[in-house]
Amino acid sequence: MTPTLSPRARLGAVALAAAVLAAFAVVYTVRAVGRDRPAAGSSHLTLDNTPGLYVRTADGKVAALGERGPRKTALSCRRFYASGTGAVCLTTKPGIPPRTQAIVLDRSLRPRRTVTFGGTPNRARISPSGRMVSWTVFVSGDSYSGGSFSTRSGILDTRTGYLIKNVETLQLTLGGRRYSASDVNYWGITFARDDNRFYATVATRGKTYLVEGDLKAWTARALRENVECPSLSPDGTRIAYKKRVRDGSSDPWRLHVLDLRTRRDTPLAETRSVDDQAAWLDDGTVAYALPGRARGSSDVWSVPADGTGKPVRKARDASSPSMNAVR
């Protein structure tokens, strides 16, 4: 015969069961939150305490390279760039049409702001101060080697919050005259230390140009033809870029460095075709990605910026190099 519980006993049993379920829920919640946290050993990795070369690894994670191998962060990015005072991570959002998110990160690699826009990730940069952030996406096509592509570049001022979704409204001067055309494309923005001056590639009528831009005046002027994906040196005197040295889509580019004062152009010792926006490791060395052993993979290499020496592989199965120096 089953004993009958008194009302007081039944109430106590219900309360006990509720307490057990609540405790279980708390434990489950804590464990679930723990799964979303960065893995042990990477949560304390910040731009302040971990200087050196940062890359995107084959699994999409951002890692800092050191003598003992890569230390991965919790970040997953399609493109990544760090300046020491901040960083930017480009990710993709599923859907049709494709969308990109630019996640602006602080020194602790924590999100400060996220901007969502159309296109697939291609280039990303942040100014030396960490204030200005830029990105380039493909809105049609997926390669610079063919002629059927279109890009869109944007800029975010993280101090004021001012967002420029498309820099194609810049007042462009080409050949000493104001220029406007429906086929104008910009890509590969790189910032000077004053957070106002910048350099970029502009393409129109089948030609590419290096342009110098002025954010406050909202103008850009062409400086030189046949310059793609510029990258300004830390001392602000030179531009590393890829130069088209042959027609067609087979090995079309060669890395060069342009002296902005003398306009002297120097081909670098890397003779393979580099389809990347090179990153300066210091005032004398640039890094870039090249196709790796497996299909779709890439390795990060470096080469002296004065045309001497020879290429050195810095990391296998990696891309998006950037040098973070603690400031």
Side-chain angles (χ1 to χ4, degrees):
M1 182 175 176
T2 304
T4 301
L5 296 176
S6 67
R8 178 176 294 180
R10 286 198 299 270
L11 182 61
V14 171
L16 177 62
V20 171
L21 289 173
F24 175 79
V26 169
V27 171
Y28 178 81
T29 301
V30 170
R31 289 179 178 174
V33 171
R35 286 197 296 269
D36 291 335
R37 290 174 181 165
S42 67
S43 59
H44 64 280
L45 192 155
T46 72
L47 297 179
D48 280 333
N49 65 25
T50 311
L53 178 61
Y54 280 69
V55 298
R56 177 186 180 269
T57 58
D59 60 1
K61 295 294 186 182
V62 173
L65 302 186
E67 295 180 357
R68 298 182 180 180
R71 295 177 58 199
K72 291 187 179 182
T73 71
L75 295 169
S76 293
C77 307
R78 289 285 299 276
R79 289 283 178 176
F80 177 83
Y81 191 82
S83 74
T85 54
V88 56
C89 168
L90 298 189
T91 65
T92 54
K93 293 197 70 176
I96 300 175
R99 292 184 296 167
T100 291
Q101 283 189 323
I103 305 171
V104 183
L105 307 161
D106 62 17
R107 290 186 176 188
S108 298
L109 298 179
R110 302 291 185 184
R112 297 172 55 194
R113 179 171 175 178
T114 299
V115 181
T116 303
F117 41 87
T120 56
N122 178 245
R123 308 292 185 216
R125 280 295 188 269
I126 189 167
S127 67
S129 72
R131 174 178 174 176
M132 309 304 296
V133 178
S134 71
W135 53 82
T136 299
V137 295
F138 280 121
V139 291
S140 68
D142 59 1
S143 173
Y144 293 112
S145 59
S148 58
F149 71 88
S150 179
T151 62
R152 184 170 297 130
S153 292
I155 296 175
L156 172 67
D157 185 335
T158 63
R159 183 178 300 173
T160 65
Y162 185 66
L163 173 63
I164 301 166
K165 293 183 178 180
N166 191 349
V167 301
E168 289 178 11
T169 60
L170 278 162
Q171 299 177 24
L172 175 63
T173 299
L174 184 62
R177 297 182 179 182
R178 287 284 299 276
Y179 181 85
S180 178
S182 60
D183 70 342
V184 168
N185 278 280
Y186 287 86
W187 66 81
I189 296 172
T190 180
F191 296 101
R193 289 190 174 276
D194 62 6
D195 288 326
N196 178 62
R197 185 166 46 96
F198 65 93
Y199 297 89
T201 295
V202 66
T204 182
R205 296 182 180 178
K207 295 182 178 181
T208 59
Y209 302 87
L210 172 68
V211 296
E212 181 182 45
D214 184 317
L215 283 173
K216 293 179 180 177
W218 198 236
T219 58
R221 63 187 182 98
L223 301 180
R224 190 182 185 93
E225 190 177 331
N226 195 10
V227 173
E228 297 187 56
C229 298
S231 182
L232 185 63
S233 62
D235 63 11
T237 64
R238 289 156 294 156
I239 291 283
Y241 71 99
K242 62 179 193 181
K243 181 177 184 178
R244 183 173 285 276
V245 294
R246 59 181 60 89
D247 294 332
S249 58
S250 178
D251 301 331
W253 295 292
R254 174 92 181 262
L255 276 181
H256 282 65
V257 167
L258 173 67
D259 188 304
L260 291 171
R261 183 178 63 85
T262 65
R263 302 299 171 94
R264 179 185 176 186
D265 192 43
T266 302
L268 302 190
E270 176 56 84
T271 58
R272 292 167 292 183
S273 183
V274 176
D275 183 10
D276 197 13
Q277 185 174 15
W280 291 80
L281 302 186
D282 50 47
D283 280 320
T285 314
V286 297
Y288 47 92
L290 279 171
R293 295 170 295 182
R295 184 175 182 179
S297 69
S298 61
D299 300 332
V300 169
W301 294 75
S302 70
V303 71
D306 61 0
T308 65
K310 62 181 182 179
V312 174
R313 182 160 41 212
K314 306 293 287 186
R316 287 189 182 274
D317 299 320
S319 60
S320 289
S322 59
M323 177 58 71
N324 164 44
V326 174
R327 302 172 189 275

